[in-house]
């Protein structure tokens, strides 16, 4: 999926994050539609491990808006958030009686679009 942005939008993408996209979406739903500063505060105090990579992507999107488009960070809102599934790492764990148990280690791609108000 391609993201097309206008002059008042900026985005950031993090790829191949070693986390389930379902767990990341749970956090992304909480910040969508919030202001940039409010989203940062929410992510700082949420108890989920997914908050750290999402916080980095959000800060990168804010920096992209400020540097590339000249938009102040205080004017930004989180316009769109996406979490797509990446490749799944497949591993095997030895089990009883010589069997192998398949373990799937999912990855995801996080995309955040910010827009000026």
């Amino acid at each position: 999926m391609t993201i097309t942005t206008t002059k008042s939008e900026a985005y950031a993408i993090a790829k191949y994050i070693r986390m389930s996209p379902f767990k990341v979406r749970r956090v992304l739903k909480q910040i969508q539609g919030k202001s940039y500063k409010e989203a940062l505060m929410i992510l700082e105090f949420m108890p989920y491990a997914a908050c750290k990579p999402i916080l980095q992507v959000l800060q990168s999107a804010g920096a992209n808006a400020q540097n590339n488009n000249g938009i102040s960070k205080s004017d930004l809102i989180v316009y769109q958030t996406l979490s797509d599934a990446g490749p799944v790492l497949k591993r095997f764990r030895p089990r009883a009686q010589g069997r192998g148990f398949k373990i799937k280690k999912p990855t995801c791609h996080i995309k955040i679009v910010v827009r000026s108000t």
Side-chain angles (χ1 to χ4, degrees), residues 53-82:
I54 292 173
L55 182 65
Q56 291 176 339
V57 175
L58 182 61
Q59 289 173 337
S60 178
N64 289 343
Q66 189 174 24
N67 292 330
N68 299 342
N69 299 344
I71 304 169
S72 174
K73 289 183 182 180
S74 60
D75 297 336
L76 294 176
I77 61 166
V78 179
Y79 176 65
Q80 185 180 23
T81 59
L82 299 169

PDB file of all heavy atoms in Angstrom, residues 53-82:
ATOM      1  N   PRO A  53       8.470   1.013  20.038  1.00  0.00           N
ATOM      2  CA  PRO A  53       8.672   1.265  18.606  1.00  0.00           C
ATOM      3  C   PRO A  53       7.656   2.243  18.022  1.00  0.00           C
ATOM      4  O   PRO A  53       7.994   3.027  17.132  1.00  0.00           O
ATOM      5  CB  PRO A  53       8.543  -0.118  17.961  1.00  0.00           C
ATOM      6  CG  PRO A  53       7.908  -0.985  18.964  1.00  0.00           C
ATOM      7  CD  PRO A  53       8.216  -0.404  20.301  1.00  0.00           C
ATOM      8  N   ILE A  54       6.428   2.253  18.546  1.00  0.00           N
ATOM      9  CA  ILE A  54       5.426   3.198  18.053  1.00  0.00           C
ATOM     10  C   ILE A  54       5.828   4.622  18.411  1.00  0.00           C
ATOM     11  O   ILE A  54       5.680   5.546  17.606  1.00  0.00           O
ATOM     12  CB  ILE A  54       4.035   2.844  18.611  1.00  0.00           C
ATOM     13  CG1 ILE A  54       3.546   1.525  18.018  1.00  0.00           C
ATOM     14  CG2 ILE A  54       3.026   3.957  18.307  1.00  0.00           C
ATOM     15  CD1 ILE A  54       2.272   1.009  18.626  1.00  0.00           C
ATOM     16  N   LEU A  55       6.363   4.810  19.604  1.00  0.00           N
ATOM     17  CA  LEU A  55       6.831   6.132  20.035  1.00  0.00           C
ATOM     18  C   LEU A  55       7.944   6.632  19.116  1.00  0.00           C
ATOM     19  O   LEU A  55       7.954   7.803  18.720  1.00  0.00           O
ATOM     20  CB  LEU A  55       7.309   6.075  21.478  1.00  0.00           C
ATOM     21  CG  LEU A  55       7.798   7.362  22.116  1.00  0.00           C
ATOM     22  CD1 LEU A  55       6.659   8.362  22.241  1.00  0.00           C
ATOM     23  CD2 LEU A  55       8.403   7.084  23.476  1.00  0.00           C
ATOM     24  N   GLN A  56       8.861   5.749  18.745  1.00  0.00           N
ATOM     25  CA  GLN A  56       9.950   6.136  17.850  1.00  0.00           C
ATOM     26  C   GLN A  56       9.426   6.536  16.474  1.00  0.00           C
ATOM     27  O   GLN A  56       9.889   7.516  15.877  1.00  0.00           O
ATOM     28  CB  GLN A  56      10.958   5.000  17.727  1.00  0.00           C
ATOM     29  CG  GLN A  56      11.750   4.751  18.986  1.00  0.00           C
ATOM     30  CD  GLN A  56      12.681   3.554  18.859  1.00  0.00           C
ATOM     31  OE1 GLN A  56      12.482   2.681  18.013  1.00  0.00           O
ATOM     32  NE2 GLN A  56      13.696   3.526  19.702  1.00  0.00           N
ATOM     33  N   VAL A  57       8.452   5.785  15.956  1.00  0.00           N
ATOM     34  CA  VAL A  57       7.887   6.102  14.645  1.00  0.00           C
ATOM     35  C   VAL A  57       7.131   7.425  14.707  1.00  0.00           C
ATOM     36  O   VAL A  57       7.228   8.253  13.799  1.00  0.00           O
ATOM     37  CB  VAL A  57       6.961   4.960  14.162  1.00  0.00           C
ATOM     38  CG1 VAL A  57       6.277   5.326  12.859  1.00  0.00           C
ATOM     39  CG2 VAL A  57       7.745   3.681  13.984  1.00  0.00           C
ATOM     40  N   LEU A  58       6.393   7.652  15.780  1.00  0.00           N
ATOM     41  CA  LEU A  58       5.649   8.904  15.924  1.00  0.00           C
ATOM     42  C   LEU A  58       6.593  10.104  16.011  1.00  0.00           C
ATOM     43  O   LEU A  58       6.350  11.141  15.388  1.00  0.00           O
ATOM     44  CB  LEU A  58       4.752   8.843  17.162  1.00  0.00           C
ATOM     45  CG  LEU A  58       3.877  10.060  17.427  1.00  0.00           C
ATOM     46  CD1 LEU A  58       2.906  10.294  16.280  1.00  0.00           C
ATOM     47  CD2 LEU A  58       3.130   9.903  18.733  1.00  0.00           C
ATOM     48  N   GLN A  59       7.669   9.977  16.759  1.00  0.00           N
ATOM     49  CA  GLN A  59       8.642  11.058  16.849  1.00  0.00           C
ATOM     50  C   GLN A  59       9.309  11.310  15.499  1.00  0.00           C
ATOM     51  O   GLN A  59       9.577  12.455  15.130  1.00  0.00           O
ATOM     52  CB  GLN A  59       9.685  10.744  17.913  1.00  0.00           C
ATOM     53  CG  GLN A  59       9.149  10.826  19.322  1.00  0.00           C
ATOM     54  CD  GLN A  59      10.141  10.354  20.368  1.00  0.00           C
ATOM     55  OE1 GLN A  59      11.059   9.586  20.066  1.00  0.00           O
ATOM     56  NE2 GLN A  59       9.943  10.787  21.603  1.00  0.00           N
ATOM     57  N   SER A  60       9.561  10.248  14.748  1.00  0.00           N
ATOM     58  CA  SER A  60      10.150  10.397  13.420  1.00  0.00           C
ATOM     59  C   SER A  60       9.187  11.102  12.466  1.00  0.00           C
ATOM     60  O   SER A  60       9.594  11.948  11.671  1.00  0.00           O
ATOM     61  CB  SER A  60      10.532   9.025  12.863  1.00  0.00           C
ATOM     62  OG  SER A  60      11.064   9.141  11.574  1.00  0.00           O
ATOM     63  N   ALA A  61       7.902  10.759  12.552  1.00  0.00           N
ATOM     64  CA  ALA A  61       6.902  11.427  11.706  1.00  0.00           C
ATOM     65  C   ALA A  61       6.805  12.906  12.063  1.00  0.00           C
ATOM     66  O   ALA A  61       6.674  13.759  11.173  1.00  0.00           O
ATOM     67  CB  ALA A  61       5.546  10.749  11.865  1.00  0.00           C
ATOM     68  N   GLY A  62       6.885  13.228  13.349  1.00  0.00           N
ATOM     69  CA  GLY A  62       6.874  14.630  13.771  1.00  0.00           C
ATOM     70  C   GLY A  62       8.090  15.378  13.270  1.00  0.00           C
ATOM     71  O   GLY A  62       7.994  16.533  12.826  1.00  0.00           O
ATOM     72  N   ALA A  63       9.243  14.734  13.332  1.00  0.00           N
ATOM     73  CA  ALA A  63      10.474  15.366  12.833  1.00  0.00           C
ATOM     74  C   ALA A  63      10.418  15.544  11.325  1.00  0.00           C
ATOM     75  O   ALA A  63      10.890  16.564  10.795  1.00  0.00           O
ATOM     76  CB  ALA A  63      11.687  14.531  13.232  1.00  0.00           C
ATOM     77  N   ASN A  64       9.845  14.566  10.605  1.00  0.00           N
ATOM     78  CA  ASN A  64       9.692  14.695   9.152  1.00  0.00           C
ATOM     79  C   ASN A  64       8.786  15.867   8.805  1.00  0.00           C
ATOM     80  O   ASN A  64       9.059  16.609   7.856  1.00  0.00           O
ATOM     81  CB  ASN A  64       9.122  13.405   8.559  1.00  0.00           C
ATOM     82  CG  ASN A  64      10.121  12.273   8.594  1.00  0.00           C
ATOM     83  OD1 ASN A  64      11.313  12.482   8.757  1.00  0.00           O
ATOM     84  ND2 ASN A  64       9.631  11.059   8.454  1.00  0.00           N
ATOM     85  N   ALA A  65       7.704  16.048   9.551  1.00  0.00           N
ATOM     86  CA  ALA A  65       6.790  17.162   9.296  1.00  0.00           C
ATOM     87  C   ALA A  65       7.481  18.498   9.544  1.00  0.00           C
ATOM     88  O   ALA A  65       7.292  19.455   8.786  1.00  0.00           O
ATOM     89  CB  ALA A  65       5.554  17.033  10.182  1.00  0.00           C
ATOM     90  N   GLN A  66       8.278  18.551  10.589  1.00  0.00           N
ATOM     91  CA  GLN A  66       8.952  19.803  10.924  1.00  0.00           C
ATOM     92  C   GLN A  66      10.068  20.122   9.930  1.00  0.00           C
ATOM     93  O   GLN A  66      10.181  21.256   9.459  1.00  0.00           O
ATOM     94  CB  GLN A  66       9.523  19.714  12.337  1.00  0.00           C
ATOM     95  CG  GLN A  66      10.049  21.014  12.863  1.00  0.00           C
ATOM     96  CD  GLN A  66      10.458  20.900  14.320  1.00  0.00           C
ATOM     97  OE1 GLN A  66      10.769  19.823  14.798  1.00  0.00           O
ATOM     98  NE2 GLN A  66      10.449  22.024  15.016  1.00  0.00           N
ATOM     99  N   ASN A  67      10.879  19.141   9.589  1.00  0.00           N
ATOM    100  CA  ASN A  67      12.032  19.397   8.722  1.00  0.00           C
ATOM    101  C   ASN A  67      11.671  19.493   7.245  1.00  0.00           C
ATOM    102  O   ASN A  67      12.190  20.348   6.536  1.00  0.00           O
ATOM    103  CB  ASN A  67      13.094  18.306   8.913  1.00  0.00           C
ATOM    104  CG  ASN A  67      13.728  18.362  10.278  1.00  0.00           C
ATOM    105  OD1 ASN A  67      13.844  19.416  10.873  1.00  0.00           O
ATOM    106  ND2 ASN A  67      14.122  17.207  10.775  1.00  0.00           N
ATOM    107  N   ASN A  68      10.790  18.607   6.770  1.00  0.00           N
ATOM    108  CA  ASN A  68      10.493  18.566   5.338  1.00  0.00           C
ATOM    109  C   ASN A  68       9.417  19.553   4.928  1.00  0.00           C
ATOM    110  O   ASN A  68       9.465  20.112   3.834  1.00  0.00           O
ATOM    111  CB  ASN A  68      10.070  17.155   4.926  1.00  0.00           C
ATOM    112  CG  ASN A  68      11.165  16.143   5.193  1.00  0.00           C
ATOM    113  OD1 ASN A  68      12.316  16.491   5.369  1.00  0.00           O
ATOM    114  ND2 ASN A  68      10.793  14.875   5.229  1.00  0.00           N
ATOM    115  N   ASN A  69       8.409  19.758   5.783  1.00  0.00           N
ATOM    116  CA  ASN A  69       7.278  20.609   5.411  1.00  0.00           C
ATOM    117  C   ASN A  69       7.196  21.899   6.212  1.00  0.00           C
ATOM    118  O   ASN A  69       6.342  22.729   5.942  1.00  0.00           O
ATOM    119  CB  ASN A  69       5.955  19.835   5.571  1.00  0.00           C
ATOM    120  CG  ASN A  69       5.906  18.616   4.672  1.00  0.00           C
ATOM    121  OD1 ASN A  69       6.684  18.493   3.741  1.00  0.00           O
ATOM    122  ND2 ASN A  69       4.990  17.717   4.951  1.00  0.00           N
ATOM    123  N   GLY A  70       8.017  22.057   7.244  1.00  0.00           N
ATOM    124  CA  GLY A  70       8.010  23.275   8.036  1.00  0.00           C
ATOM    125  C   GLY A  70       6.787  23.429   8.922  1.00  0.00           C
ATOM    126  O   GLY A  70       6.376  24.544   9.233  1.00  0.00           O
ATOM    127  N   ILE A  71       6.195  22.317   9.338  1.00  0.00           N
ATOM    128  CA  ILE A  71       5.005  22.356  10.192  1.00  0.00           C
ATOM    129  C   ILE A  71       5.450  22.245  11.648  1.00  0.00           C
ATOM    130  O   ILE A  71       6.279  21.398  11.983  1.00  0.00           O
ATOM    131  CB  ILE A  71       4.053  21.191   9.846  1.00  0.00           C
ATOM    132  CG1 ILE A  71       3.673  21.221   8.364  1.00  0.00           C
ATOM    133  CG2 ILE A  71       2.806  21.240  10.710  1.00  0.00           C
ATOM    134  CD1 ILE A  71       2.963  19.984   7.902  1.00  0.00           C
ATOM    135  N   SER A  72       4.884  23.062  12.503  1.00  0.00           N
ATOM    136  CA  SER A  72       5.214  22.999  13.923  1.00  0.00           C
ATOM    137  C   SER A  72       4.617  21.731  14.539  1.00  0.00           C
ATOM    138  O   SER A  72       3.506  21.324  14.201  1.00  0.00           O
ATOM    139  CB  SER A  72       4.650  24.229  14.632  1.00  0.00           C
ATOM    140  OG  SER A  72       4.838  24.111  16.021  1.00  0.00           O
ATOM    141  N   LYS A  73       5.358  21.121  15.470  1.00  0.00           N
ATOM    142  CA  LYS A  73       4.885  19.893  16.105  1.00  0.00           C
ATOM    143  C   LYS A  73       3.640  20.115  16.947  1.00  0.00           C
ATOM    144  O   LYS A  73       2.839  19.206  17.130  1.00  0.00           O
ATOM    145  CB  LYS A  73       5.989  19.277  16.972  1.00  0.00           C
ATOM    146  CG  LYS A  73       7.113  18.669  16.178  1.00  0.00           C
ATOM    147  CD  LYS A  73       8.128  18.017  17.089  1.00  0.00           C
ATOM    148  CE  LYS A  73       9.279  17.437  16.297  1.00  0.00           C
ATOM    149  NZ  LYS A  73      10.276  16.812  17.159  1.00  0.00           N
ATOM    150  N   SER A  74       3.456  21.324  17.444  1.00  0.00           N
ATOM    151  CA  SER A  74       2.272  21.600  18.269  1.00  0.00           C
ATOM    152  C   SER A  74       0.989  21.654  17.437  1.00  0.00           C
ATOM    153  O   SER A  74      -0.103  21.579  17.992  1.00  0.00           O
ATOM    154  CB  SER A  74       2.452  22.913  19.029  1.00  0.00           C
ATOM    155  OG  SER A  74       2.635  23.973  18.114  1.00  0.00           O
ATOM    156  N   ASP A  75       1.114  21.778  16.113  1.00  0.00           N
ATOM    157  CA  ASP A  75      -0.058  21.837  15.233  1.00  0.00           C
ATOM    158  C   ASP A  75      -0.442  20.475  14.663  1.00  0.00           C
ATOM    159  O   ASP A  75      -1.398  20.386  13.898  1.00  0.00           O
ATOM    160  CB  ASP A  75       0.206  22.794  14.066  1.00  0.00           C
ATOM    161  CG  ASP A  75       0.437  24.218  14.525  1.00  0.00           C
ATOM    162  OD1 ASP A  75      -0.049  24.549  15.621  1.00  0.00           O
ATOM    163  OD2 ASP A  75       1.100  24.973  13.799  1.00  0.00           O
ATOM    164  N   LEU A  76       0.286  19.422  14.999  1.00  0.00           N
ATOM    165  CA  LEU A  76       0.070  18.117  14.371  1.00  0.00           C
ATOM    166  C   LEU A  76      -0.981  17.289  15.093  1.00  0.00           C
ATOM    167  O   LEU A  76      -1.129  17.373  16.314  1.00  0.00           O
ATOM    168  CB  LEU A  76       1.383  17.328  14.348  1.00  0.00           C
ATOM    169  CG  LEU A  76       2.504  17.875  13.483  1.00  0.00           C
ATOM    170  CD1 LEU A  76       3.753  17.030  13.670  1.00  0.00           C
ATOM    171  CD2 LEU A  76       2.101  17.884  12.021  1.00  0.00           C
ATOM    172  N   ILE A  77      -1.694  16.491  14.302  1.00  0.00           N
ATOM    173  CA  ILE A  77      -2.559  15.448  14.847  1.00  0.00           C
ATOM    174  C   ILE A  77      -2.176  14.128  14.181  1.00  0.00           C
ATOM    175  O   ILE A  77      -1.653  14.122  13.067  1.00  0.00           O
ATOM    176  CB  ILE A  77      -4.063  15.735  14.632  1.00  0.00           C
ATOM    177  CG1 ILE A  77      -4.388  15.825  13.152  1.00  0.00           C
ATOM    178  CG2 ILE A  77      -4.509  16.966  15.362  1.00  0.00           C
ATOM    179  CD1 ILE A  77      -5.861  15.767  12.849  1.00  0.00           C
ATOM    180  N   VAL A  78      -2.422  13.023  14.865  1.00  0.00           N
ATOM    181  CA  VAL A  78      -2.148  11.703  14.302  1.00  0.00           C
ATOM    182  C   VAL A  78      -3.328  11.375  13.392  1.00  0.00           C
ATOM    183  O   VAL A  78      -4.425  11.067  13.855  1.00  0.00           O
ATOM    184  CB  VAL A  78      -1.988  10.644  15.410  1.00  0.00           C
ATOM    185  CG1 VAL A  78      -1.723   9.285  14.804  1.00  0.00           C
ATOM    186  CG2 VAL A  78      -0.877  11.042  16.355  1.00  0.00           C
ATOM    187  N   TYR A  79      -3.110  11.469  12.098  1.00  0.00           N
ATOM    188  CA  TYR A  79      -4.187  11.338  11.124  1.00  0.00           C
ATOM    189  C   TYR A  79      -4.496   9.879  10.802  1.00  0.00           C
ATOM    190  O   TYR A  79      -5.651   9.478  10.778  1.00  0.00           O
ATOM    191  CB  TYR A  79      -3.802  12.104   9.856  1.00  0.00           C
ATOM    192  CG  TYR A  79      -4.782  11.970   8.726  1.00  0.00           C
ATOM    193  CD1 TYR A  79      -6.064  12.474   8.839  1.00  0.00           C
ATOM    194  CD2 TYR A  79      -4.425  11.338   7.542  1.00  0.00           C
ATOM    195  CE1 TYR A  79      -6.963  12.355   7.807  1.00  0.00           C
ATOM    196  CE2 TYR A  79      -5.320  11.222   6.504  1.00  0.00           C
ATOM    197  CZ  TYR A  79      -6.593  11.727   6.644  1.00  0.00           C
ATOM    198  OH  TYR A  79      -7.486  11.602   5.609  1.00  0.00           O
ATOM    199  N   GLN A  80      -3.466   9.073  10.575  1.00  0.00           N
ATOM    200  CA  GLN A  80      -3.672   7.685  10.154  1.00  0.00           C
ATOM    201  C   GLN A  80      -2.600   6.801  10.769  1.00  0.00           C
ATOM    202  O   GLN A  80      -1.433   7.190  10.836  1.00  0.00           O
ATOM    203  CB  GLN A  80      -3.607   7.610   8.624  1.00  0.00           C
ATOM    204  CG  GLN A  80      -3.921   6.261   8.048  1.00  0.00           C
ATOM    205  CD  GLN A  80      -3.844   6.274   6.532  1.00  0.00           C
ATOM    206  OE1 GLN A  80      -3.174   7.108   5.936  1.00  0.00           O
ATOM    207  NE2 GLN A  80      -4.510   5.337   5.915  1.00  0.00           N
ATOM    208  N   THR A  81      -2.999   5.615  11.228  1.00  0.00           N
ATOM    209  CA  THR A  81      -2.046   4.645  11.767  1.00  0.00           C
ATOM    210  C   THR A  81      -2.324   3.295  11.130  1.00  0.00           C
ATOM    211  O   THR A  81      -3.480   2.892  10.994  1.00  0.00           O
ATOM    212  CB  THR A  81      -2.173   4.525  13.300  1.00  0.00           C
ATOM    213  OG1 THR A  81      -3.497   4.131  13.628  1.00  0.00           O
ATOM    214  CG2 THR A  81      -1.848   5.825  13.997  1.00  0.00           C
ATOM    215  N   LEU A  82      -1.256   2.608  10.741  1.00  0.00           N
ATOM    216  CA  LEU A  82      -1.384   1.297  10.112  1.00  0.00           C
ATOM    217  C   LEU A  82      -0.384   0.335  10.713  1.00  0.00           C
ATOM    218  O   LEU A  82       0.738   0.718  11.060  1.00  0.00           O
ATOM    219  CB  LEU A  82      -1.114   1.387   8.604  1.00  0.00           C
ATOM    220  CG  LEU A  82      -2.018   2.264   7.770  1.00  0.00           C
ATOM    221  CD1 LEU A  82      -1.427   2.442   6.383  1.00  0.00           C
ATOM    222  CD2 LEU A  82      -3.379   1.634   7.671  1.00  0.00           C
TER     223      LEU A  82
END
